[in-house]
Amino acid sequence: MYRLTVLYGHPEDPAEFDRYYREVHIPLAKQMKGLTGWTIGKCLSAEAGSPPPYYLIVSLYAESATALQAVLESPEGQATIADVSNFATGGVMFMYNEEEVLIPVELNTPEI
């Protein structure tokens, strides 16, 4: 399994970031075909009294690096990537890795 991790820096306006992400970016990203998983989570600090290094972490999964590349290079993937600059006022970092699952995890999957 292959993963793209997206780390969003702290936005200038967190409420507007959240609104845009939920109302515009997620519906746009849901049009991408070929993902085998997708998770999002607000970051929490590991150190009391200090902010976490990132605001939001997103993981997109595909069966292979080639499959993930195809998702991102599709018209829907390109539109999703282009949209990031419309709301990521705190910056964004993309990281890729081959995922090795040591203990499978089951997540609640609310409708987004």
Side-chain angles (χ1 to χ4, degrees):
M1 181 166 302
Y2 207 74
R3 176 174 67 174
L4 165 60
T5 300
V6 184
L7 299 166
Y8 290 99
H10 293 275
E12 294 169 7
D13 182 346
E16 177 56 19
F17 177 100
D18 292 347
R19 183 204 66 77
Y20 190 97
Y21 192 83
R22 291 272 178 195
E23 295 178 12
V24 179
H25 192 69
I26 287 177
L28 183 63
K30 282 178 123 179
Q31 296 176 30
M32 294 187 296
K33 307 278 188 290
L35 294 176
T36 59
W38 178 7
T39 63
I40 64 173
K42 287 264 182 91
C43 297
L44 303 172
S45 181
E47 298 178 26
S50 65
Y54 295 98
Y55 182 73
L56 185 75
I57 184 170
V58 177
S59 294
L60 302 175
Y61 296 88
E63 289 300 322
S64 65
T66 303
L68 184 56
Q69 183 177 359
V71 170
L72 298 175
E73 289 178 353
S74 71
E76 298 84 2
Q78 290 296 295
T80 300
I81 292 167
D83 186 52
V84 170
S85 64
N86 293 326
F87 66 94
T89 58
V92 64
M93 179 183 298
F94 296 88
M95 297 186 307
Y96 297 90
N97 72 284
E98 188 137 355
E99 188 90 347
E100 181 181 356
V101 178
L102 301 178
I103 299 174
V105 64
E106 259 187 65
L107 301 174
N108 294 332
T109 52
E111 182 59 35
I112 351 183

